[in-house]
Amino acid sequence: MSKYWNERIHRLEPYVPGEQPKDKRYIKLNTNENPYPPSPKVLAAIKEAVNDRLRLYPDPNSDDLRAALAARFGLSSENIFIGNGSDEVLAFSFMTFFSPDRPVMFADITYSFYKVYANLCSLQPNVIPLDEEFKLPVKAFCESSGGVVIPNPNAPTGQGISIESIQKILEADPDRVVIIDEAYVNFGGESVIPLTKEYPNLLVVQTLSKFGALAGIRVGFAFGDPELIQGLNRLKNSINSYTIDCLALAGAKAAIEDDEYYRQMAERVIRTRENTVNSLAKIGFTIIPSEANFIFITHPQYDAESIFHQLRDKGILVRYFHQPRISNYLRVSIGSDEEMNAFIVAMKDLVKA
Amino acid sequence: MSKYWNERIHRLEPYVPGEQPKDKRYIKLNTNENPYPPSPKVLAAIKEAVNDRLRLYPDPNSDDLRAALAARFGLSSENIFIGNGSDEVLAFSFMTFFSPDRPVMFADITYSFYKVYANLCSLQPNVIPLDEEFKLPVKAFCESSGGVVIPNPNAPTGQGISIESIQKILEADPDRVVIIDEAYVNFGGESVIPLTKEYPNLLVVQTLSKFGALAGIRVGFAFGDPELIQGLNRLKNSINSYTIDCLALAGAKAAIEDDEYYRQMAERVIRTRENTVNSLAKIGFTIIPSEANFIFITHPQYDAESIFHQLRDKGILVRYFHQPRISNYLRVSIGSDEEMNAFIVAMKDLVKA
């Protein structure tokens, strides 16, 4: 605490990301990174951009990247906002579309940054409990509110939500903005980007950090009606004209244009996920059905927090959330087959199976 | 305007950056970019970082880069905050240290983003007029206030302010944060980074965009007491854990470690600036004494806005501000000798000298 901070800074409770340890090499299954490298075309495009032109500012409007995304998704550039990672896009969305006078809805078990954004923006959260199977109670989300944010699939459970359910939530209150956070949608879910043409209150957020295997270059997107995109641009241009650097712009464009490569990598991740699920089920774990590049698991006889620490000692990092209802669960990112085999061997040892 | 925007977004007046035209090649003297390329060591360091590890998140705390800066400036890592360009650092500083209940002071002729930040944060600006020679009225800035932001040297005038004046302003009210924006300090000014050890209310902001010739990779810094830095981190970690990408981290570190190269380039810019000033004086221009990589000029017989348009037609971009007191001035970035010769030839033609 400091006398130099304003009132807001005092009451913030910042997000704590999954650890990025430097003490030794771990099998990192804790931050949902893609186990496969970025497309070779992406690396080539970035390398080409490493030249004397870095002395110049990037295009503040990311025109080329937006054009590539527009072509990829059958939209217009005016439907697209680019941010420095989807966390920035989400923070800007909270700052643009939600107001302290009406509560914003999100689930009790969801991406924990939403609570941080609500606090940042002095918003009253209306926290909706997931049902006993961690499914989204669609009816509760149809109550009128100041806004909604839902990840599809959900994090940290990996569970998907149907397009029909999202439509119901959109239609229940057309005057509020509904954010669908599709960070993990490309590992088995279905995107609602096409719905942005029908629903002016729908904002879809995606990222290159997972599917695009580009967590290291920080690019996120929002798709929606031009009115929503203009709002985000008003905010962005009141903070920082140039949020996306030249190298990220070049790499992101190449990634969008090499969808074939990324689809293949995602299929590999999905196959590995299914194998991992089968192996864990055999040793007594319960696994929430996942459409993401991670799984959410629990064991009736073993304590999750204790497994978390024991795995760490064995050089394997997973994510544990000290939080009501999920304190006996672990979130495990899907790594390569080799990494997941090592993980299963360790787990077999820990549960004495 | 949109029913989906909150009240704040409606009243924002976003910053408009200098144009980055794509229609043809211009001599770009409008956004204060460095005419010389980044250090070859910087380009090599970035290229080396373009590899499969881009699938992983960057270090959210920029530890290596902060260590390099700490070594360079004789500080500790805890004195250093890294942002996605110094505009982000400035925006975050406004959001962290200033409150709506007490006005924040800045000059009437200064970096125009400050007014945008004040608006973003619902702050009352206390706008202090520069004197007739565009010098900072130090006494007025010593009045008590909720905070102060001063660029040294000032933009768009290029005029410097003495360290003694900054000390007076710091001491006048130790309970408020004073931000010294040193975006251009390496072209002839003197940094107050050493003063951060004495004054816990001093925050110094720098950037790699100008001196570092790295506008394309977006890295800015703040230096100050650990309490100030912690405040900025609380805010940053409530918006986006990973604001600086792996490539920017690698390039920035290499830039900090190759100060010798950058000093030489800055000396070239300073020599070119002095030559340009002499040539313009000969054809009747008045030039504000500049310690920056740009100059602020006016001509008693010719209209600045008209010169601005005529230069554009000749393929030369400079910056014109449609603003009281400076509406007959142009801000001209210092390019290479070749670019400035072309600029002088064009100017001679325009003023019939």
Side-chain angles (χ1 to χ4, degrees):
Chain A
M1 297 295 152
S2 163
K3 69 176 172 182
Y4 296 119
W5 303 351
N6 62 27
E7 187 269 325
R8 172 171 51 190
I9 299 299
H10 280 275
R11 70 170 153 71
L12 287 179
E13 290 173 33
Y15 180 76
V16 179
E19 56 184 332
Q20 306 278 359
K22 293 168 191 160
D23 55 336
K24 61 171 186 172
R25 273 189 89 85
Y26 287 89
I27 295 182
K28 265 190 98 266
L29 308 178
N30 68 329
T31 49
N32 298 341
E33 288 141 338
N34 199 316
Y36 302 110
S39 151
K41 289 180 189 165
V42 168
L43 298 181
I46 297 176
K47 274 195 182 135
E48 209 188 307
V50 183
N51 60 45
D52 291 357
R53 292 184 60 81
L54 289 184
R55 72 181 183 83
L56 302 173
Y57 281 97
D59 171 10
N61 304 317
S62 306
D63 284 340
D64 290 349
L65 174 56
R66 287 191 304 135
L69 283 161
R72 165 86 185 73
F73 291 108
L75 299 170
S76 146
S77 284
E78 281 149 42
N79 298 112
I80 301 166
F81 176 80
I82 315 287
N84 185 33
S86 67
D87 282 342
E88 184 181 89
V89 176
L90 287 165
F92 284 7
S93 300
F94 271 66
M95 294 164 85
T96 300
F97 304 119
F98 302 151
S99 304
D101 54 347
R102 291 191 72 205
V104 54
M105 283 178 159
F106 48 83
D108 62 341
I109 300 165
T110 195
Y111 184 33
S112 47
F113 224 136
Y114 301 153
K115 189 179 63 189
V116 176
Y117 298 139
N119 193 2
L120 173 75
C121 300
S122 310
L123 304 173
Q124 274 305 12
N126 183 1
V127 177
I128 311 287
L130 297 184
D131 74 12
E132 300 226 324
E133 291 175 316
F134 295 162
K135 287 200 175 123
L136 198 83
V138 176
K139 215 173 149 191
F141 276 92
C142 288
E143 302 287 315
S144 179
S145 73
V148 174
V149 56
I150 298 171
N152 183 32
N154 195 14
T157 67
Q159 197 144 233
I161 168 173
S162 73
I163 292 199
E164 294 69 35
S165 300
I166 294 173
Q167 283 180 299
K168 273 184 200 153
I169 295 167
L170 284 163
E171 286 164 14
D173 181 355
D175 287 340
R176 68 179 178 188
V177 172
V178 175
I179 300 173
I180 303 296
D181 178 354
E182 295 190 337
Y184 302 103
V185 81
N186 298 98
F187 298 99
E190 194 177 354
S191 174
V192 290
I193 289 178
L195 292 191
T196 57
K197 290 180 182 170
E198 281 172 68
Y199 296 95
N201 60 329
L202 169 61
L203 191 82
V204 182
V205 176
Q206 291 199 353
T207 173
L208 285 182
S209 296
K210 324 293 184 177
F211 178 66
L214 286 169
I217 68 163
R218 322 303 310 121
V219 182
F221 316 118
F223 304 91
D225 188 271
E227 269 193 20
L228 301 185
I229 302 306
Q230 278 164 34
L232 289 171
N233 276 317
R234 286 176 74 83
L235 181 71
K236 176 228 158 203
N237 290 322
S238 296
I239 293 179
N240 188 1
S241 311
Y242 308 98
T243 48
I244 320 292
D245 69 44
C246 294
L247 305 175
L249 286 174
K253 181 165 177 282
I256 296 306
E257 290 169 348
D258 198 6
D259 200 49
E260 184 50 30
Y261 170 87
Y262 284 107
R263 278 179 197 277
Q264 284 174 20
M265 295 305 118
E267 275 163 31
R268 284 170 71 175
V269 170
I270 291 168
R271 274 198 302 273
T272 307
R273 180 182 72 208
E274 298 317 311
N275 293 338
T276 306
V277 165
N278 291 338
S279 303
L280 287 170
K282 276 184 202 152
I283 55 173
F285 278 91
T286 303
I287 305 103
I288 307 292
S290 171
E291 296 182 359
N293 68 337
F294 56 84
I295 49 176
F296 203 51
I297 65 174
T298 188
H299 196 291
Q301 282 106 48
Y302 292 89
D303 179 63
E305 189 170 10
S306 154
I307 296 178
F308 166 76
H309 289 296
Q310 289 172 285
L311 282 172
R312 200 178 197 290
D313 292 342
K314 288 171 180 279
I316 300 176
L317 295 178
V318 300
R319 193 91 199 256
Y320 174 73
F321 299 91
H322 217 303
Q323 211 180 294
R325 294 188 71 191
I326 58 170
S327 61
N328 205 37
Y329 282 80
L330 295 172
R331 193 195 68 188
V332 182
S333 309
I334 302 301
S336 65
D337 284 324
E338 200 186 359
E339 288 172 321
M340 298 321 282
N341 288 341
F343 167 72
I344 293 293
V345 166
M347 284 301 236
K348 280 184 178 163
D349 186 39
L350 292 179
V351 303
K352 321 285 183 251
Chain B
M1 297 296 153
S2 162
K3 68 175 172 182
Y4 296 119
W5 304 351
N6 62 28
E7 187 270 324
R8 171 169 54 187
I9 299 300
H10 279 276
R11 70 172 153 70
L12 287 180
E13 290 172 32
Y15 181 76
V16 180
E19 57 184 330
Q20 307 278 359
K22 294 168 191 160
D23 56 334
K24 61 172 186 171
R25 274 189 88 84
Y26 287 88
I27 295 182
K28 265 191 98 265
L29 308 177
N30 69 329
T31 48
N32 298 341
E33 287 141 338
N34 199 316
Y36 302 110
S39 150
K41 290 179 188 165
V42 168
L43 298 182
I46 297 176
K47 274 194 183 137
E48 209 189 307
V50 184
N51 60 46
D52 291 355
R53 292 184 59 82
L54 289 183
R55 72 181 182 83
L56 302 174
Y57 281 97
D59 171 10
N61 303 316
S62 305
D63 284 341
D64 289 351
L65 175 56
R66 288 191 304 137
L69 284 160
R72 165 86 185 74
F73 290 109
L75 298 171
S76 147
S77 284
E78 280 147 43
N79 298 112
I80 301 166
F81 176 81
I82 314 288
N84 186 32
S86 66
D87 282 342
E88 183 181 88
V89 177
L90 288 164
F92 284 7
S93 301
F94 271 65
M95 293 164 86
T96 299
F97 305 119
F98 303 151
S99 304
D101 54 347
R102 291 191 71 204
V104 54
M105 285 177 157
F106 48 84
D108 63 341
I109 299 164
T110 194
Y111 183 33
S112 46
F113 224 135
Y114 302 153
K115 189 179 63 189
V116 176
Y117 299 139
N119 192 2
L120 172 75
C121 302
S122 310
L123 305 172
Q124 275 304 13
N126 182 359
V127 177
I128 311 287
L130 296 184
D131 75 11
E132 300 226 322
E133 290 175 316
F134 295 161
K135 288 199 175 124
L136 198 83
V138 175
K139 215 172 147 192
F141 275 92
C142 289
E143 301 286 315
S144 179
S145 74
V148 175
V149 55
I150 298 171
N152 182 32
N154 196 14
T157 66
Q159 196 143 231
I161 167 172
S162 74
I163 290 199
E164 295 69 37
S165 300
I166 293 172
Q167 283 180 297
K168 272 184 201 153
I169 294 167
L170 283 163
E171 287 164 13
D173 181 355
D175 287 339
R176 68 178 179 189
V177 173
V178 175
I179 300 173
I180 303 296
D181 179 354
E182 296 190 338
Y184 302 102
V185 80
N186 298 98
F187 298 99
E190 194 176 353
S191 174
V192 289
I193 288 178
L195 292 190
T196 57
K197 290 179 184 172
E198 281 172 70
Y199 297 95
N201 60 329
L202 168 61
L203 191 82
V204 182
V205 177
Q206 290 198 353
T207 174
L208 285 182
S209 296
K210 325 294 183 177
F211 178 66
L214 285 169
I217 68 163
R218 322 303 309 121
V219 181
F221 316 118
F223 304 91
D225 189 271
E227 269 192 21
L228 302 185
I229 301 306
Q230 278 164 31
L232 289 170
N233 276 317
R234 287 176 71 84
L235 181 72
K236 176 228 158 205
N237 290 322
S238 297
I239 293 179
N240 188 359
S241 311
Y242 308 98
T243 48
I244 319 293
D245 70 45
C246 294
L247 306 175
L249 286 174
K253 181 165 177 283
I256 296 305
E257 290 170 348
D258 198 5
D259 199 51
E260 184 50 32
Y261 170 88
Y262 284 108
R263 279 179 196 277
Q264 285 174 20
M265 294 306 117
E267 275 163 29
R268 285 169 72 175
V269 169
I270 292 168
R271 276 199 301 275
T272 308
R273 179 183 74 208
E274 298 317 311
N275 292 338
T276 306
V277 164
N278 292 337
S279 302
L280 287 170
K282 277 185 200 149
I283 55 173
F285 278 91
T286 303
I287 305 104
I288 308 292
S290 171
E291 297 183 359
N293 68 337
F294 56 83
I295 49 177
F296 204 51
I297 65 173
T298 188
H299 197 291
Q301 281 107 49
Y302 293 89
D303 179 62
E305 189 170 10
S306 154
I307 296 178
F308 165 77
H309 289 296
Q310 289 172 285
L311 282 173
R312 199 177 198 291
D313 292 342
K314 287 171 181 279
I316 300 176
L317 295 179
V318 299
R319 193 92 199 255
Y320 175 74
F321 300 90
H322 217 301
Q323 210 181 292
R325 296 189 68 190
I326 58 170
S327 62
N328 205 37
Y329 282 80
L330 295 172
R331 191 195 68 186
V332 183
S333 309
I334 302 301
S336 65
D337 283 324
E338 199 185 0
E339 288 172 322
M340 298 321 282
N341 288 341
F343 166 74
I344 293 293
V345 167
M347 284 301 238
K348 279 183 179 161
D349 185 40
L350 292 179
V351 303
K352 321 284 183 252

